[in-house]
Amino acid sequence: MIITPKVRGFICLTAHPKGCEQNVVNQINYVKSKGPIEGPKRVLVLGASTGFGLASRITSAFGANAATIGVFFEKPAAEGKPGSPGWYNTAAFEKEAQKAGLYAKSINGDAFSDEIKRTTLDLIKADLGQIDLVIYSLASPRRVHPKTGVIHNSVLKPIGQPFSNKTVDFHTGNVSEVTITPASDEDIANTVAVMGGEDWEMWIDALKAENLLAPGATTVAYSYIGPSLTEAVYRKGTIGRAKDHLEATAFTISDKLKDLNGKAYVSVNKALVTQASSAIPVIPLYISLLYKVMKAKGLHEGTIEQIQRLFQERLYTGGEVAVDEKGRIRVDDWEMRDDVQAEVAALWEKASTESLPEIGDLQGYRTDFFNLFGFEVPGVNYDEDVNELVEVPGLV
Ligand code: NAI
Ligand code: NA
């Protein structure tokens, strides 16, 4: 079939298999161009199909030659109905991994559930024995709690008082004022239940209980901080409470890994266009200004550049892992540079529907958004009839 984008707000209902494949190949080539990493040999990636998780899987496999198991929640392709981007990304990743002689298996299902944890543990036991690195990169709007059965829905709201600021509809370029009503206590608790560290700890507990973590095992989860501009809706909002919890959980997990000489880290990453971040009000305007400034300074990175740098220059340098005063790894260092933030703050004041095309990188935002779904990828012929029924070779 001929597949075209069907956009509904900040989501696209279709995905292009060839475009997703090209994105994955480009990421693999980038990692290879940066040379080998003396890193982990057996890696479990939770949230492995898109965004930072996919980049982590690619860096592990094609940078460190690691065997990878990826867990994700994606829609398989069906006759006349394209699968989700993460489905096609994984199909492409596995095809390339097979070609390179790398072990790669994937599990599609709810990582929050006991059932998917069981399937994953059994697969590790059967195929890899133990794991050296666990990447925790889930981003989800909801979680069914495995013990209580309660459904938690996360929200993106300020805490305490309403928050008003500028936002942009990145499709139309229309800049407007948005007011977000504050969260209730229940909203906060629900967001922490979905995006906080409880499930990360459950995974590590389950792996450790069955002796599936290798000596020196490392686990990393991803967080975000950002500038004061977005603080009310991000770091001091409901999602920020969840990130506080996630960051605190790193210490709890590190204590539990002491006997293995293992360690849990949180890496604070840069703001990027992903399916998760497009849904947050105010953030798309911030990202379009940030992209403009960082590209002009030659500092721009995508998910693969971020994660390749995390592995090569933070986690696997052969020496100590550099962390901030709160024990966090920082690869948002370039985003948070004083000169970058001062320029973004000045542009923010000027941002309007009229000025944005010139002062912001709205085009870069849009392109990245379409790229997430395999559209507007250079070198792909979108007039060509493609087979939407793509299989994931190593699907368990
Ligand atoms: P994403 O939406 O690209 O990836 C989410 C992944 O989680 C996908 O592989 C998806 O299939 C999987 N997933 C979602 N629900 C699942 C479930 N129930 N069971 C199994 N898999 C499930 O998101 P992104 O942006 O890569 O986010 C990953 C982490 O990075 C999050 O913790 C996010 O807060 C963090 N982060 C994101 C930043 C950004 O600007 N996008 C910046 C800094 C941190
Ligand atoms: Na991810």
Side-chain angles (χ1 to χ4, degrees), residues 124-344:
I124 295 167
K125 254 181 224 174
D127 288 4
L128 300 181
Q130 287 186 320
I131 292 292
D132 305 305
L133 173 66
V134 180
I135 296 286
Y136 191 84
S137 189
L138 299 180
S140 173
R142 77 200 279 273
R143 172 176 175 223
V144 181
H145 197 284
K147 306 301 170 207
T148 64
V150 171
I151 299 172
H152 300 282
N153 288 298
S154 71
V155 300
L156 296 157
K157 289 185 179 174
I159 294 172
Q161 63 255 344
F163 173 61
S164 296
N165 212 325
K166 294 177 190 178
T167 193
V168 66
D169 175 331
F170 60 87
H171 296 298
T172 61
N174 190 53
V175 177
S176 62
E177 190 82 3
V178 64
T179 298
I180 316 164
T181 55
S184 65
D185 287 345
E186 210 188 333
D187 286 334
I188 299 170
N190 279 323
T191 306
V192 172
V194 180
M195 290 299 285
E198 187 187 30
D199 182 61
W200 184 23
E201 191 176 342
M202 283 180 169
W203 269 101
I204 300 300
D205 285 346
L207 288 159
K208 187 154 191 269
E210 301 190 22
N211 194 28
L212 301 178
L213 294 175
T218 302
T219 182
V220 184
Y222 297 138
S223 189
Y224 183 67
I225 298 175
S228 51
L229 272 174
T230 60
E231 218 165 43
V233 68
Y234 198 97
R235 195 64 208 209
K236 290 188 175 162
T238 48
I239 182 72
R241 288 291 174 88
K243 292 303 185 191
D244 290 345
H245 187 270
L246 185 80
E247 291 174 16
T249 304
F251 293 99
T252 314
I253 296 176
S254 279
D255 282 341
K256 292 182 173 183
L257 296 182
K258 271 206 179 107
D259 57 335
L260 287 174
N261 218 356
K263 197 154 167 68
Y265 293 99
V266 158
S267 171
V268 182
N269 299 348
K270 175 197 185 196
L272 281 170
V273 180
T274 63
Q275 293 182 66
S277 67
S278 307
I280 312 177
V282 186
I283 298 283
L285 180 59
Y286 169 70
I287 290 182
S288 68
L289 299 174
L290 180 74
Y291 273 27
K292 184 84 169 188
V293 173
M294 291 188 82
K295 285 179 184 177
K297 290 178 182 288
L299 295 175
H300 182 68
E301 297 176 292
T303 49
I304 196 66
E305 289 85 358
Q306 278 268 292
I307 300 300
Q308 200 282 335
R309 190 157 69 91
L310 168 65
F311 276 54
Q312 200 162 46
E313 294 180 21
R314 299 288 190 277
L315 287 170
Y316 299 106
T317 57
E320 284 283 296
V321 177
V323 292
D324 70 8
E325 73 292 350
K326 290 185 170 168
R328 304 171 295 202
I329 298 172
R330 305 294 295 264
V331 287
D332 66 337
D333 47 348
W334 298 348
E335 168 181 356
M336 299 311 286
R337 256 171 49 169
D338 289 344
D339 60 326
V340 171
Q341 286 303 324
E343 287 182 37
V344 171

Side-chain angles (χ1 to χ4, degrees), residues 46-54 137-138:
L46 306 165
S49 54
T50 59
F52 286 111
L54 172 65
S137 189
L138 299 180

Side-chain angles (χ1 to χ4, degrees), residues 85-129:
W87 180 265
Y88 291 134
N89 290 340
T90 304
F93 170 83
E94 292 216 0
K95 187 173 140 189
E96 295 302 318
Q98 275 192 355
K99 272 201 250 168
L102 292 165
Y103 172 97
K105 291 265 174 83
S106 297
I107 295 167
N108 187 23
D110 181 5
F112 297 129
S113 70
D114 287 342
E115 187 199 339
I116 288 297
K117 288 187 176 74
R118 183 71 263 154
T119 305
T120 310
L121 301 183
D122 290 343
L123 180 64
I124 295 167
K125 254 181 224 174
D127 288 4
L128 300 181

Side-chain angles (χ1 to χ4, degrees), residues 14-37:
T14 50
H16 200 281
K18 289 270 159 61
C20 290
E21 180 172 21
Q22 189 60 53
N23 282 336
V24 168
V25 168
N26 292 347
Q27 290 195 36
I28 291 172
N29 288 340
Y30 175 77
V31 167
K32 284 187 183 163
S33 78
K34 302 299 277 187
I37 296 165

